[in-house]
């Protein structure tokens, strides 16, 4: 990694970790923070639990590892920044206006800037040379493309059904006017990046490896967050369906496996310096 962008990304990431902890901690422990309906509020609690207990600590650990010279940690760091950007956008655009609105806006801005500076600091060609031979790029790229096509097809079906019948999925209708935000963010962030990463990985392009690893790490965290949100909605009471877990959980497990394979493919002695 080149020093100047890395330092900038690191400083911004420290602020991201602190704000992630602040926003998720307040969501879990501050009384009546969320002004959404019971179903949406329950989902925020599940997401907050994952962010506070898993995502923020993992981002902090990855940042320390990256600063110590681990290229694997750099890729996890970038993936968790992508998660933070994606997750904070849910709250910024999806939650009813509350006391943390400026925190959500700051998280989106800081996560995005840290991710840009972090990616600019990576020498993808040098990193790709450290990938051990035999990486199964075909099936990894196939998984990325498969998830992207599945999500795109699912949300496309919802949209075309609404055009034809004027009706949307019952679960989305129950969540209120901003329920489409999950689909919107997946269609603009998850699907295109997954397809691009798969294509570049199949072509053996250095950035294909970087983007695929980032996508898998962020995807694992996002699917865990969505799974926790689903469970929280059922446990707290507003929802009675576990159906979303049939989509989120398998994708999350796949992201963990793919991310593990990609990270292990880097030679253990790889260093950023």
């Amino acid at each position: 990694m080149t020093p100047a962008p890395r330092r900038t990304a690191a400083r911004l990431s420290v602020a991201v970790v602190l704000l992630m902890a602040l926003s998720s901690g307040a969501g879990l422990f501050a009384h009546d923070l969320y002004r959404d309906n019971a179903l949406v509020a329950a989902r925020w609690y599940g997401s907050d639990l994952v962010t506070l207990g898993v995502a923020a600590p993992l981002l902090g650990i990855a940042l320390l590892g990256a600063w110590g010279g681990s290229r694997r940690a750099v890729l996890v760091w970038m993936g968790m920044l992508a998660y933070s950007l994606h997750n904070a956008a849910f709250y910024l655009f999806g939650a009813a206006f509350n006391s943390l609105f400026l925190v959500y806006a700051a998280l989106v801005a800081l996560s995005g800037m840290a991710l840009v500076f972090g990616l600019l600091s990576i020498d993808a060609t040098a990193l790709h040379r450290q990938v051990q031979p035999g990486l199964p790029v075909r099936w990894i790229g196939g998984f990325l493309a498969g998830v992207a096509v599945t999500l795109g097809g699912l949300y496309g079906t919802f949209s075309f059904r609404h055009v034809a019948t004027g009706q949307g999925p019952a679960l989305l209708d129950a969540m209120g006017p901003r329920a489409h935000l999950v689909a919107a963010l997946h269609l603009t962030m998850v699907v295109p990046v997954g397809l691009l990463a798969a294509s570049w990985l199949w072509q053996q392009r250095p950035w294909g490896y970087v983007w695929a690893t980032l996508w898998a790490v962020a995807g694992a965290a996002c699917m865990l967050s969505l799974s926790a949100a689903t469970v929280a909605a059922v446990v707290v009471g507003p929802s009675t369906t576990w159906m979303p877990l049939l989509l989120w959980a398998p994708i999350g497990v796949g992201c963990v496996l793919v991310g593990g394979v990609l990270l292990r493919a880097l030679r253990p002695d790889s260093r950023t310096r």
Side-chain angles (χ1 to χ4, degrees), residues 1-15 63 66-67 77-78 113-114 117-118 120-122 273:
M1 298 178 73
T2 52
R6 179 182 61 177
R7 286 194 295 268
T8 301
R11 289 165 182 162
L12 292 170
S13 295
V14 170
L63 178 58
W67 199 255
W77 173 21
M78 295 299 103
M113 288 189 292
F117 279 107
L120 286 174
S121 70
I122 294 176
R273 294 174 182 172

Side-chain angles (χ1 to χ4, degrees), residues 24-53:
S24 56
L28 288 171
F29 302 115
H31 182 63
D32 291 335
L33 172 68
Y34 296 123
R35 301 169 51 245
D36 308 89
N37 65 46
L39 176 59
V40 176
R43 290 176 176 272
W44 294 139
Y45 297 140
S47 180
D48 286 336
L49 183 62
V50 170
T51 299
L52 183 62

Side-chain angles (χ1 to χ4, degrees), residues 141-155 186-187 189-196 198 215 251:
F143 172 76
L144 269 62
V147 171
V149 170
T150 297
L151 293 177
L154 176 66
Y155 299 134
H186 282 178
L187 287 172
M189 294 185 179
V190 177
V191 171
V193 174
L195 291 174
L196 179 64
W215 188 94
I251 294 176

Side-chain angles (χ1 to χ4, degrees), residues 42-129:
R43 290 176 176 272
W44 294 139
Y45 297 140
S47 180
D48 286 336
L49 183 62
V50 170
T51 299
L52 183 62
V54 178
L58 184 56
L59 176 55
I61 293 170
L63 178 58
L64 291 175
W67 199 255
S70 169
R71 290 198 180 193
R72 290 175 178 172
V74 169
L75 295 173
V76 175
W77 173 21
M78 295 299 103
M80 294 313 299
L81 284 175
Y83 164 81
S84 177
L85 173 62
H86 184 268
N87 188 65
F90 274 121
Y91 288 80
L92 179 62
F93 301 114
F97 187 87
N98 62 47
S99 302
L100 292 181
F101 175 76
L102 293 179
V103 175
Y104 303 147
L107 267 172
V108 170
L110 294 174
S111 299
M113 288 189 292
L115 182 58
V116 169
F117 279 107
L119 291 174
L120 286 174
S121 70
I122 294 176
D123 185 341
T125 301
L127 185 147
H128 193 249
R129 293 195 194 102

